[in-house]
């Protein structure tokens, strides 16, 4: 497994932007998949954006066009840039990684609140 630490959450007004960071405890170069999910109160955890094998990316329908996922292998970090934020984007955002042996790891999450 790999340990994941998220940061960058906070309170932002509608229409604003945030960049989340997820730092892994080891090289992400060989991690099979790594990305972001979110969970709002009373709702199931859902995909925001993730890197699949290689550089293939996948986005959740509710955020497509408003988020960008990027990675810095040298820093073992994956970023989530979120723009045009809406109140319905309010959730705890979790970093996820799936290693080549199939193990899944989750971070503790970072709260994002979109409110006037």
């Amino acid at each position: 497994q790999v340990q994941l630490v998220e940061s960058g959450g906070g309170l932002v007004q509608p229409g604003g932007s945030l960049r989340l960071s997820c730092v892994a405890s080891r090289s992400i170069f060989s991690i099979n998949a790594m990305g972001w999910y979110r969970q709002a109160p009373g709702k199931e955890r859902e995909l925001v954006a993730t890197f699949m094998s290689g550089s293939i990316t996948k986005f959740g329908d509710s955020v497509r066009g408003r988020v960008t996922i990027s990675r810095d292998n040298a820093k073992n970090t994956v970023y989530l840039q979120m723009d045009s934020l809406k109140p319905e984007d309010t959730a705890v955002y979790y970093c996820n990684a799936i290693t080549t042996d199939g193990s899944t790891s989750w971070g503790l999450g970072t709260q994002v609140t979109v409110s006037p």
Side-chain angles (χ1 to χ4, degrees), residues 6 20 35-39 45 92-96 106-110:
E6 304 99 333
L20 307 183
W36 294 90
Y37 291 72
R38 70 184 184 186
Q39 188 165 18
R45 194 169 294 189
V92 179
Y93 284 68
Y94 296 93
C95 185
N96 166 270
W106 293 94
L108 296 179
T110 185

mmCIF file of all heavy atoms in Angstrom, residues 6 20 35-39 45 92-96 106-110:
data_model
loop_
_atom_site.group_PDB
_atom_site.id
_atom_site.type_symbol
_atom_site.label_atom_id
_atom_site.label_comp_id
_atom_site.label_asym_id
_atom_site.label_seq_id
_atom_site.Cartn_x
_atom_site.Cartn_y
_atom_site.Cartn_z
ATOM 1 N N GLU A 6 -3.716 14.469 1.538
ATOM 2 C CA GLU A 6 -4.335 15.529 0.737
ATOM 3 C C GLU A 6 -4.171 16.883 1.421
ATOM 4 O O GLU A 6 -4.071 16.968 2.642
ATOM 5 C CB GLU A 6 -5.836 15.276 0.552
ATOM 6 C CG GLU A 6 -6.193 13.937 -0.048
ATOM 7 C CD GLU A 6 -6.606 12.909 0.989
ATOM 8 O OE1 GLU A 6 -6.157 13.022 2.150
ATOM 9 O OE2 GLU A 6 -7.361 11.982 0.646
ATOM 10 N N LEU A 20 -6.195 21.203 -5.282
ATOM 11 C CA LEU A 20 -5.909 20.186 -4.273
ATOM 12 C C LEU A 20 -4.631 19.448 -4.640
ATOM 13 O O LEU A 20 -4.342 19.256 -5.823
ATOM 14 C CB LEU A 20 -7.062 19.191 -4.161
ATOM 15 C CG LEU A 20 -8.458 19.774 -3.934
ATOM 16 C CD1 LEU A 20 -9.470 18.644 -3.772
ATOM 17 C CD2 LEU A 20 -8.489 20.710 -2.758
ATOM 18 N N GLY A 35 -5.971 9.209 -8.313
ATOM 19 C CA GLY A 35 -6.843 10.330 -8.599
ATOM 20 C C GLY A 35 -7.680 10.743 -7.420
ATOM 21 O O GLY A 35 -7.321 10.499 -6.262
ATOM 22 N N TRP A 36 -8.813 11.343 -7.739
ATOM 23 C CA TRP A 36 -9.638 11.999 -6.742
ATOM 24 C C TRP A 36 -11.089 11.531 -6.807
ATOM 25 O O TRP A 36 -11.665 11.389 -7.895
ATOM 26 C CB TRP A 36 -9.605 13.510 -6.973
ATOM 27 C CG TRP A 36 -8.265 14.118 -6.738
ATOM 28 C CD1 TRP A 36 -7.269 14.285 -7.646
ATOM 29 C CD2 TRP A 36 -7.775 14.628 -5.507
ATOM 30 N NE1 TRP A 36 -6.185 14.872 -7.054
ATOM 31 C CE2 TRP A 36 -6.468 15.099 -5.734
ATOM 32 C CE3 TRP A 36 -8.310 14.748 -4.219
ATOM 33 C CZ2 TRP A 36 -5.697 15.675 -4.729
ATOM 34 C CZ3 TRP A 36 -7.537 15.316 -3.220
ATOM 35 C CH2 TRP A 36 -6.248 15.778 -3.484
ATOM 36 N N TYR A 37 -11.648 11.343 -5.625
ATOM 37 C CA TYR A 37 -13.057 11.065 -5.449
ATOM 38 C C TYR A 37 -13.598 12.048 -4.422
ATOM 39 O O TYR A 37 -12.829 12.709 -3.717
ATOM 40 C CB TYR A 37 -13.271 9.619 -4.968
ATOM 41 C CG TYR A 37 -12.944 8.577 -5.997
ATOM 42 C CD1 TYR A 37 -11.631 8.301 -6.364
ATOM 43 C CD2 TYR A 37 -13.966 7.871 -6.635
ATOM 44 C CE1 TYR A 37 -11.341 7.347 -7.328
ATOM 45 C CE2 TYR A 37 -13.682 6.912 -7.594
ATOM 46 C CZ TYR A 37 -12.370 6.663 -7.933
ATOM 47 O OH TYR A 37 -12.082 5.721 -8.884
ATOM 48 N N ARG A 38 -14.909 12.146 -4.341
ATOM 49 C CA ARG A 38 -15.498 13.024 -3.329
ATOM 50 C C ARG A 38 -16.753 12.402 -2.749
ATOM 51 O O ARG A 38 -17.391 11.554 -3.387
ATOM 52 C CB ARG A 38 -15.816 14.403 -3.927
ATOM 53 C CG ARG A 38 -16.970 14.404 -4.920
ATOM 54 C CD ARG A 38 -17.137 15.786 -5.538
ATOM 55 N NE ARG A 38 -18.290 15.847 -6.430
ATOM 56 C CZ ARG A 38 -18.594 16.903 -7.178
ATOM 57 N NH1 ARG A 38 -17.823 17.983 -7.146
ATOM 58 N NH2 ARG A 38 -19.667 16.873 -7.951
ATOM 59 N N GLN A 39 -17.081 12.847 -1.549
ATOM 60 C CA GLN A 39 -18.284 12.357 -0.889
ATOM 61 C C GLN A 39 -18.948 13.504 -0.151
ATOM 62 O O GLN A 39 -18.353 14.110 0.753
ATOM 63 C CB GLN A 39 -17.960 11.221 0.083
ATOM 64 C CG GLN A 39 -19.194 10.547 0.647
ATOM 65 C CD GLN A 39 -18.880 9.223 1.306
ATOM 66 O OE1 GLN A 39 -17.732 8.931 1.647
ATOM 67 N NE2 GLN A 39 -19.885 8.387 1.457
ATOM 68 N N ARG A 45 -19.744 8.007 -2.381
ATOM 69 C CA ARG A 45 -18.492 8.522 -2.914
ATOM 70 C C ARG A 45 -18.513 8.416 -4.437
ATOM 71 O O ARG A 45 -18.938 7.398 -4.997
ATOM 72 C CB ARG A 45 -17.315 7.748 -2.344
ATOM 73 C CG ARG A 45 -15.969 8.391 -2.548
ATOM 74 C CD ARG A 45 -14.886 7.710 -1.731
ATOM 75 N NE ARG A 45 -15.107 7.893 -0.287
ATOM 76 C CZ ARG A 45 -14.222 7.545 0.643
ATOM 77 N NH1 ARG A 45 -13.069 7.007 0.280
ATOM 78 N NH2 ARG A 45 -14.501 7.723 1.915
ATOM 79 N N VAL A 92 -16.175 16.208 0.943
ATOM 80 C CA VAL A 92 -14.824 15.814 1.326
ATOM 81 C C VAL A 92 -14.187 15.151 0.106
ATOM 82 O O VAL A 92 -14.778 14.246 -0.489
ATOM 83 C CB VAL A 92 -14.825 14.852 2.523
ATOM 84 C CG1 VAL A 92 -13.391 14.438 2.866
ATOM 85 C CG2 VAL A 92 -15.497 15.504 3.734
ATOM 86 N N TYR A 93 -13.028 15.615 -0.245
ATOM 87 C CA TYR A 93 -12.326 15.115 -1.422
ATOM 88 C C TYR A 93 -11.217 14.165 -0.963
ATOM 89 O O TYR A 93 -10.380 14.532 -0.128
ATOM 90 C CB TYR A 93 -11.753 16.272 -2.233
ATOM 91 C CG TYR A 93 -12.821 16.994 -3.020
ATOM 92 C CD1 TYR A 93 -13.804 17.748 -2.375
ATOM 93 C CD2 TYR A 93 -12.879 16.898 -4.411
ATOM 94 C CE1 TYR A 93 -14.807 18.379 -3.089
ATOM 95 C CE2 TYR A 93 -13.870 17.533 -5.139
ATOM 96 C CZ TYR A 93 -14.833 18.272 -4.471
ATOM 97 O OH TYR A 93 -15.836 18.900 -5.181
ATOM 98 N N TYR A 94 -11.237 12.976 -1.543
ATOM 99 C CA TYR A 94 -10.299 11.922 -1.159
ATOM 100 C C TYR A 94 -9.365 11.577 -2.308
ATOM 101 O O TYR A 94 -9.796 11.449 -3.459
ATOM 102 C CB TYR A 94 -11.044 10.651 -0.764
ATOM 103 C CG TYR A 94 -11.913 10.784 0.461
ATOM 104 C CD1 TYR A 94 -13.261 11.106 0.342
ATOM 105 C CD2 TYR A 94 -11.395 10.562 1.734
ATOM 106 C CE1 TYR A 94 -14.072 11.222 1.460
ATOM 107 C CE2 TYR A 94 -12.201 10.669 2.859
ATOM 108 C CZ TYR A 94 -13.532 11.006 2.711
ATOM 109 O OH TYR A 94 -14.326 11.113 3.822
ATOM 110 N N CYS A 95 -8.119 11.380 -1.957
ATOM 111 C CA CYS A 95 -7.149 10.874 -2.923
ATOM 112 C C CYS A 95 -7.166 9.353 -2.883
ATOM 113 O O CYS A 95 -7.315 8.751 -1.803
ATOM 114 C CB CYS A 95 -5.764 11.402 -2.567
ATOM 115 S SG CYS A 95 -4.477 10.980 -3.757
ATOM 116 N N ASN A 96 -7.013 8.747 -4.033
ATOM 117 C CA ASN A 96 -7.067 7.291 -4.169
ATOM 118 C C ASN A 96 -5.912 6.820 -5.031
ATOM 119 O O ASN A 96 -5.548 7.486 -6.008
ATOM 120 C CB ASN A 96 -8.403 6.893 -4.810
ATOM 121 C CG ASN A 96 -8.429 5.462 -5.294
ATOM 122 O OD1 ASN A 96 -8.075 5.182 -6.442
ATOM 123 N ND2 ASN A 96 -8.835 4.562 -4.437
ATOM 124 N N TRP A 106 -6.460 4.969 0.357
ATOM 125 C CA TRP A 106 -7.206 6.221 0.428
ATOM 126 C C TRP A 106 -6.535 7.165 1.405
ATOM 127 O O TRP A 106 -5.994 6.739 2.433
ATOM 128 C CB TRP A 106 -8.644 5.972 0.919
ATOM 129 C CG TRP A 106 -9.509 5.207 -0.020
ATOM 130 C CD1 TRP A 106 -9.713 3.859 -0.023
ATOM 131 C CD2 TRP A 106 -10.280 5.737 -1.104
ATOM 132 N NE1 TRP A 106 -10.577 3.518 -1.042
ATOM 133 C CE2 TRP A 106 -10.938 4.648 -1.713
ATOM 134 C CE3 TRP A 106 -10.487 7.021 -1.610
ATOM 135 C CZ2 TRP A 106 -11.785 4.806 -2.818
ATOM 136 C CZ3 TRP A 106 -11.331 7.169 -2.703
ATOM 137 C CH2 TRP A 106 -11.969 6.086 -3.293
ATOM 138 N N GLY A 107 -6.584 8.451 1.094
ATOM 139 C CA GLY A 107 -6.172 9.448 2.056
ATOM 140 C C GLY A 107 -7.294 9.729 3.037
ATOM 141 O O GLY A 107 -8.392 9.163 2.932
ATOM 142 N N LEU A 108 -7.022 10.610 3.992
ATOM 143 C CA LEU A 108 -8.029 10.943 4.997
ATOM 144 C C LEU A 108 -9.040 11.970 4.500
ATOM 145 O O LEU A 108 -10.089 12.158 5.118
ATOM 146 C CB LEU A 108 -7.346 11.467 6.261
ATOM 147 C CG LEU A 108 -6.460 10.445 6.981
ATOM 148 C CD1 LEU A 108 -5.815 11.081 8.204
ATOM 149 C CD2 LEU A 108 -7.252 9.212 7.379
ATOM 150 N N GLY A 109 -8.724 12.632 3.411
ATOM 151 C CA GLY A 109 -9.655 13.580 2.813
ATOM 152 C C GLY A 109 -9.378 15.016 3.203
ATOM 153 O O GLY A 109 -8.765 15.301 4.228
ATOM 154 N N THR A 110 -9.869 15.911 2.342
ATOM 155 C CA THR A 110 -9.787 17.350 2.605
ATOM 156 C C THR A 110 -11.143 17.962 2.269
ATOM 157 O O THR A 110 -11.740 17.647 1.244
ATOM 158 C CB THR A 110 -8.640 18.006 1.811
ATOM 159 O OG1 THR A 110 -8.521 19.373 2.177
ATOM 160 C CG2 THR A 110 -8.846 17.896 0.298
#
